[in-house]
Amino acid sequence: MKIVETAKIAEAVCRLALKAGVSLTADCKNALVAAEKDETGAAKFALSAALENERIAAKERMPVCQDTGMACVLIELGQEVSLSGMPLSDAVNEGVRRAYAAGNFRKSICDPLTRVNTGDNTPAHLHVEIVAGDGVKITFLPKGFGSENMSRLSMLTPAEGRQGIVDTIVEAVRLAGSRPCPPVVVGVGIGGSFDSCTYLAKKALTRPIFSHHEREDVASIEREALEKINALGIGPQGFGGKTTALAVLCEVAPTHIAGLPVAVNMQCHCVRCAEEVL
Amino acid sequence: MKELALPLSEEEKRSLHAGDCVLLSGTVFTARDCAHKRIFELLDADMPLPFSLKDTFIYYAGPCPAPAGRAVGSCGPTTSARMNAFAPRLIDLGLGGIIGKGEMSEEVAAALVRKGAVYFAAVGGAGALYANAVKKSELVAFADLLSEAVYRFEIEKFPAVVAMDCHGGSVYSRTTYQGIRSGRCPSE
């Protein structure tokens, strides 16, 4: 049994949050550079501003976007690990609390009814998967709500099949239009249950932009949906153009014989994600 | 690129067309969801507002806290569509215009035409870049709302695109996304 102090997890969450908040992933930056070359007019203007913003944020350690997000923390916890110290969720929240204060990040979490701000961006959205081995992999995804608000879940029928899945993904992006800060990255969950399907969609957003699903039938859905989305013409910031999405990333899980859940989790063009293994 | 000083004259507003890229300087007031709700409560109760709406530009934004030595932290625009329910009444009360991001409703478009106001889109996700364009920041009202409070910003060379103009033009027109190509932008 390997013993891991949860205080170390708090430190790691803090480190990851501070890193993710002020930088785009390398893949995201490369995708924006390529898209900027492809666009003209207001769309090019918007992408140039996004790239200039990335340089300023990295140099001055300022948040890339003022929406420093809901703290989504995905932990893959090896089953040979024994956690010691404060409860895991307290440790994760402590890491978030420290990072959002130290980094001058916006505190964006509030009560859903009274709208009173919790003041420290907690609680984090923590998801733990128990996996084989003795590692603790922590992924920090600060999720802005301009894009989160444009996400949706469709409970398709099995008869709708592959075509229904592609249409659902493309329609979600069309309906979102300019609002989620395109070019977007589209995280898609296919299968599972009402709730696990949405988690698959979120988890898909932690994959590198230029990756493809290992199953060819799933990768072909990613390719077809991306092509159709970029034919919509919405473009960067909705200003019109060729680049409406940078990537479509799908994750799949077995589902019930009666169902075909499809969840679409929208991510803006500021892909901020950091991970570490303890 | 066209440089504009806020507030805008009627003539300046009429000269703007959807798709034009501009640099804005002058005074704006931040307000987003909760601040709008408070402003509407004051209007409904016939109480004075914390700032005059006449010719004013509202910036839909909720900034990050200011680091030492800076006027403000990261402060890009938030999604304007959430303010669709609020914007027409404020425009009718004399608001000069709005800065935000993303499409707004037909009702907002009609109010812009009716009153000769303009809606500028800032670039979403460019928070650090916009922090550099804010030279002064002062808390004006609703301090308890934290980042959602109303702040007066003095902005300088703040990059934006005319999103919806006072002639009914929109950069977001769903059927004519190509319409944007008539805009005057640096690369064209």
Side-chain angles (χ1 to χ4, degrees):
Chain A
M1 210 65 169
K2 174 174 154 185
I3 293 173
V4 172
E5 295 286 338
T6 50
K8 295 282 179 202
I9 292 178
E11 286 167 20
V13 167
C14 179
R15 250 190 329 267
L16 292 170
L18 284 170
K19 181 183 172 202
V22 301
S23 48
L24 301 182
T25 62
D27 262 14
C28 174
K29 190 179 161 186
N30 291 337
L32 291 175
V33 168
E36 197 261 351
K37 291 195 176 85
D38 260 1
E39 299 288 356
T40 58
K44 193 181 189 73
F45 172 81
L47 291 173
S48 304
L51 289 166
E52 172 67 9
N53 179 65
E54 187 276 335
R55 284 187 287 273
I56 296 169
K59 183 167 158 255
E60 306 193 22
R61 308 289 298 166
M62 284 183 71
V64 175
C65 177
Q66 75 290 338
D67 188 351
T68 42
M70 176 178 267
C72 296
V73 180
L74 284 63
I75 297 184
E76 288 180 19
L77 182 64
Q79 65 178 11
E80 287 159 41
V81 172
S82 174
L83 296 177
S84 162
M86 66 184 122
L88 178 61
S89 59
D90 289 2
V92 167
N93 285 332
E94 180 56 26
V96 168
R97 190 176 291 120
R98 278 188 226 155
Y100 278 67
N104 288 307
F105 290 4
R106 194 177 77 186
K107 288 74 176 172
S108 308
I109 304 304
C110 68
D111 182 275
L113 299 179
T114 66
R115 312 306 295 184
V116 173
N117 199 300
T118 63
D120 59 6
N121 218 61
T122 67
H125 168 51
L126 171 63
H127 199 287
V128 182
E129 271 184 69
I130 307 293
V131 299
D134 65 356
V136 181
K137 182 179 169 191
I138 306 169
T139 305
F140 192 93
L141 179 74
K143 193 66 182 65
F145 258 53
S147 54
E148 193 77 354
N149 280 339
M150 297 296 116
S151 305
R152 51 186 66 229
L153 173 71
S154 302
M155 302 303 282
L156 302 184
T157 62
E160 290 173 277
R162 184 187 183 282
Q163 194 57 52
I165 296 167
V166 172
D167 291 349
T168 298
I169 300 167
V170 177
E171 183 66 359
V173 176
R174 192 186 69 78
L175 290 171
S178 58
R179 288 171 288 179
C181 274
V184 290
V185 175
V186 190
V188 182
I190 303 171
S193 61
F194 176 78
D195 54 335
S196 68
C197 186
T198 56
Y199 173 65
L200 287 175
K202 170 103 349 88
K203 196 177 171 191
L205 291 176
T206 66
R207 268 176 47 197
I209 287 182
F210 295 115
S211 65
H212 304 287
H213 198 278
E214 59 190 19
R215 266 177 63 172
E216 173 48 32
D217 55 348
V218 180
S220 86
I221 291 174
E222 293 176 340
R223 285 194 301 270
E224 185 181 337
L226 181 62
E227 196 176 308
K228 288 187 166 159
I229 287 166
N230 283 330
L232 291 172
I234 294 167
Q237 297 290 321
F239 294 158
K242 297 172 199 164
T243 325
T244 300
L246 301 173
V248 175
L249 304 166
C250 299
E251 289 296 313
V252 293
T255 189
H256 189 277
I257 52 172
L260 179 53
V262 177
V264 180
N265 194 191
M266 216 66 84
Q267 164 69 58
C268 65
H269 67 79
C270 284
V271 181
R272 300 160 290 177
C273 188
E275 62 180 44
E276 199 174 298
V277 179
L278 293 182
Chain B
M1 204 165 358
K2 191 181 275 189
E3 294 201 21
L4 297 169
L6 304 177
L8 300 179
S9 68
E10 199 171 314
E11 192 186 1
E12 281 173 316
K13 283 186 271 193
R14 298 201 72 79
S15 76
L16 296 172
H17 293 88
D20 290 352
C21 300
V22 299
L23 292 172
L24 303 174
S25 298
T27 303
V28 299
F29 290 85
T30 68
R32 45 178 290 156
D33 311 67
C34 276
H36 274 83
K37 215 173 159 201
R38 297 257 180 111
I39 288 168
F40 267 54
E41 283 163 6
L42 292 172
L43 286 171
D44 289 343
D46 227 357
M47 304 265 284
L49 299 186
F51 60 96
S52 162
L53 295 175
K54 181 73 185 144
D55 295 327
T56 295
F57 274 75
I58 287 184
Y59 180 26
Y60 296 150
C64 285
R70 277 187 168 274
V72 71
S74 291
C75 63
T78 194
T79 308
S80 303
R82 292 199 316 275
M83 267 56 77
N84 279 338
F86 302 115
R89 183 173 175 189
L90 300 184
I91 293 166
D92 280 333
L93 288 170
L95 201 67
I98 294 161
I99 306 171
K101 73 168 178 79
E103 62 219 70
M104 297 193 77
S105 67
E106 290 299 319
E107 289 73 20
V108 176
L112 295 173
V113 172
R114 187 160 66 237
K115 302 298 283 188
V118 58
Y119 166 40
F120 293 105
V123 177
L129 179 138
Y130 284 111
N132 279 350
V134 176
K135 301 304 173 189
K136 273 190 208 162
S137 166
E138 187 190 341
L139 176 68
V140 172
F142 316 139
D144 61 302
L145 295 182
L146 308 176
S147 67
E148 292 201 80
V150 171
Y151 295 88
R152 181 194 290 112
F153 280 179
E154 298 301 329
I155 59 173
E156 207 175 282
K157 295 191 177 175
F158 179 108
V161 171
V162 178
M164 292 162 70
D165 62 35
C166 66
H167 311 287
S170 168
V171 79
Y172 306 114
S173 165
R174 287 207 180 278
T175 51
T176 55
Y177 267 107
Q178 300 308 314
I180 175 69
R181 303 292 167 221
S182 62
R184 292 180 293 275
C185 280
S187 62
E188 289 181 333

